[in-house]
């Protein structure tokens, strides 16, 4: 069983669709960082230079993609990205069934 899992993981890592989905996920997170986190970081210098004892600085750590729900990037990350992650595995399963590779695995593998 471990051998089959290693083979499947290797097949997915070598597929182009896996790398496309990974690139899309990285693009979503980098765009969220550029549009939401960087503007908050630039205001941190203002609070360091002057005495704003009564003001609370911007919380750049609360702008991470998992801590917000109102931006397009967080919507894409939590709704669309899991659907995109299914594409490489679904494509692999489809080609295995189409070529008869799954029948070969059932015959060669252990029944348990």
């Amino acid at each position: 069983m471990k051998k089959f899992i290693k083979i499947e993981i290797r097949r997915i890592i070598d597929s182009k669709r896996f790398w496309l989905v990974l690139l899309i996920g990285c693009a979503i997170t980098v765009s969220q960082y550029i549009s939401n986190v960087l503007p908050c970081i630039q205001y941190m210098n203002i609070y360091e230079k002057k005495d704003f004892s009564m003001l609370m600085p911007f919380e750049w750590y609360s702008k991470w993609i998992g801590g917000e729900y109102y931006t397009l990037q967080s919507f894409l990350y939590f709704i669309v990205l899991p659907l995109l992650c299914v594409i490489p595995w679904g494509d692999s399963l489809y080609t295995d069934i189409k070529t008869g590779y799954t029948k070969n695995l059932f015959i060669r593998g252990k029944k348990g």
Side-chain angles (χ1 to χ4, degrees):
M1 188 68 178
K2 283 184 178 182
K3 189 188 312 182
F4 290 143
I5 292 173
K6 287 180 183 179
I7 291 170
E8 286 299 315
I9 290 174
R10 176 55 56 195
R11 286 179 60 206
I12 294 299
I13 289 175
D14 291 340
S15 72
K16 292 179 184 177
R17 286 186 175 90
F18 171 76
W19 293 106
L20 177 68
V21 168
L22 191 66
L23 183 69
I24 290 171
C26 289
I28 290 171
T29 54
V30 167
S31 68
Q32 191 272 341
Y33 181 80
I34 290 171
S35 65
N36 293 337
V37 177
L38 283 181
C40 291
I41 290 175
Q42 72 183 6
Y43 292 113
M44 293 299 287
N45 295 335
I46 295 171
Y47 291 99
E48 291 174 359
K49 292 178 182 175
K50 297 179 182 176
D51 184 25
F52 290 106
S53 59
M54 298 302 289
L55 295 176
M56 187 171 131
F58 288 105
E59 300 168 343
W60 62 269
Y61 56 86
S62 68
K63 297 290 185 181
W64 67 293
I65 199 164
E68 63 179 7
Y69 57 90
Y70 52 86
T71 61
L72 176 66
Q73 291 92 354
S74 64
F75 173 77
L76 290 174
Y77 189 77
F78 288 115
I79 302 297
V80 177
L81 194 65
L83 296 175
L84 286 174
C85 291
V86 173
I87 291 174
W89 291 98
D91 181 48
S92 174
L93 179 65
Y94 176 73
T95 56
D96 290 348
I97 291 172
K98 187 175 162 184
T99 60
Y101 183 68
T102 53
K103 293 178 188 176
N104 188 16
L105 288 179
F106 289 141
I107 292 170
R108 304 262 184 229
K110 293 181 181 179
K111 303 300 183 226

